[in-house]
Amino acid sequence: MAVTEFEAYPPIEAYGVVGNLETCGLVAPNGSVDWFPFPHLEFPSIFAAILDNERGGRFRIGPPDPFETDRRYVGDTNVLETTFDTPNGTATVTDFLPPAGRVDHPKKVLYRKVTCTGGTVGLEVELDPRFDYGHAETTIEPVEKGILAEGTDERTLLESPIDLEIEDGRITGELSLEAGETEWFLLRCTGAEDANTDPDAALEETIEYWTDWAHSCDPDDDCAFEGPWHDLVVRSELVLKLLTHAESGAIAAAPTTSLPETVGGVRNWDYRFNWLRDAGFTVQALMNLGTADEANDYFDWFMDLCQADGPASIQPLYSLHGESDLAERELDHFEGYRGSRPVRIGNEAAQQRQLDIYGELLLAVDEMYRHGRELNDEEWDRIRDIVEYVREVWDEPDAGIWEVRGGNEHFVYSNVMCWVALDRAIAIAAGGDYDAPLETWRETRETIRTDVLENGYDEDVGAFVQSYGTDALDATGLLLPIVGFLPFDDERIQGTIDAIEAELVEDVFVQRYNGDDGIPGDEGAFVLCSCWLVNALALSGRVEEAQSRFESLLEYLNPLGLIAEEIDPENGAHLGNYPQAFSHIGIINSALYLGYVRGREASGPAPMGIRLGDPVVPPEA
């Protein structure tokens, strides 16, 4: 427990997250909801104090004076409890939204339960709605059920057990509770003003939904995720579900925008969208956790996207509703988290050419197919079109997986993933007797492999490099054996692992690359890349070293089990958008690999890269 006062900008890792499978809110340790886009993640915010303390808006319930705070989720749920320990007593604020379509209570209500568990506690209430990222004019007036705030298109009704005052566009109040007393505050958002609610029943059913959904196993089960990290894997699974859109099945990279990769820097991006590059490893994580429905929904969603206008039109990322126009713009009126500007909404990387996405899509298709998902004729036609397109464009430059803004290059990983697209499609076609020009595909696959080996491996460096003609290293080199491009015992793979350890690793953290990307400033170490190193070491037979690294990395998760996109190696602070889906996917898959190499059984076919010394796809394919 830490002594906490009001902080304009708490550390990123201090936040908890709640949501309803359509949007999420970030709750600070002082009881302030500092981020809440509505009605969906990629929509404008009602509260954005995390991006501008003065102009962003918040909804706070907390003590007026310094206090000690403790945070926890109620069991394996996304119901958050923040407990305040003051000199005179203790109180807990319980925050949640009912999951959309899963609980028989309105999803557009943020429930805040306040309970005094000892002594007497005084609390302040502050509601400061700032619709449309603070752009909209807001009117506030008392109504029969509470206080109504309206913007241009949105409105909120705060249903309160206490009298509230309106002053300078803010709604404030005070309450005092004694041991055993409970009060409810309901923030009813557009469409839920008149909905019938039973707060206690809503809480009970929300807890029941998450508890029933989360991965569980008996002590006698041979769980692939068994180990000291099992509970953190479950929390990572709950984060992924929280970021999954109930209508489409798409999974957001993060619920936030513009949390900086360096405090005060310009590397601030909007991550409230779905990146297709996440597909393969996401499906692997979901299927091995036993969440087949979510994996199938996600699979169906991106297969529909592939149907739209042909392979050439497939974007690296889409909105959670499948929209392609993600025009990037800056919110000049926001100062940014701790002065980190610009604050961006939208993401122009959607318009980049990233050839790696085709291989990542085929990884996901192959993963589903190996788990028993049959492909219908229409789906196979789309896959075949993708492979034929890859045959045409694999040797053209692109922006790469890291979305560089310094010009297109021949990235090694992009070419390897084009190889993967052909490789997995060949395996599926041969195994399922699907119509395909297998000899032509095999010829192209071998052509790509030869090209990468000749131009992507640097003898002087002793490693695969980031792009043709450079000596820069890239953490994606750790994935080459996992996707089956070369076996783990190949000296070029082991040399790449050693070179990355020497050049990109600091303590347990791995940088993405050491080349120029056309963007000024520095960044933290990528959590996902640190997981890739764990996987590469484990599958190379260096299991004890891998486990030690993994356990050290897990120490940087916050007490709630959440982690951001990056970590500052110097002080352990979280950086970038938060919580980050790919970071949590990395944790799940690293636990899976460590479990598997120690003799645990996966719930289906062996994970990618698990056959030591052999390609993933059988030679006969």
Side-chain angles (χ1 to χ4, degrees), residues 27 139 152 179 192 207 209 211 221 244 293 305 343 350 363 376-377 379 451 476 488 506 509 514 528 539 564 580 610:
V27 186
T139 60
T152 303
I207 290 174
Y209 166 76
T211 302
D221 290 346
T244 301
D293 288 345
L305 291 178
V343 172
L363 281 180
N376 60 42
D377 291 342
E379 290 170 337
D451 188 74
T476 53
F488 279 94
E506 182 177 345
F509 303 112
N514 56 7
L528 177 63
L539 298 177
Q580 174 77 1
I610 205 69

Side-chain angles (χ1 to χ4, degrees), residues 327-375:
E328 185 174 297
R329 61 188 179 94
E330 298 178 2
L331 301 179
D332 294 331
H333 63 294
F334 275 178
E335 71 170 3
Y337 177 83
R338 297 189 178 181
S340 304
R341 302 184 69 185
V343 172
R344 295 182 174 95
I345 56 174
N347 198 312
E348 71 178 29
Q351 302 305 314
Q352 287 185 340
R353 186 180 213 189
Q354 297 175 25
L355 297 179
D356 61 287
I357 63 174
Y358 301 106
E360 283 135 4
L361 284 172
L362 263 295
L363 281 180
V365 173
D366 180 61
E367 189 73 18
M368 294 297 292
Y369 180 72
R370 293 192 304 128
H371 276 86
R373 171 68 149 79
E374 293 294 331
L375 303 171

Side-chain angles (χ1 to χ4, degrees), residues 503-517:
E503 297 294 330
L504 299 183
V505 174
E506 182 177 345
D507 192 17
V508 298
F509 303 112
V510 181
Q511 299 286 341
R512 290 190 297 172
Y513 46 77
N514 56 7
D516 180 41
D517 59 11

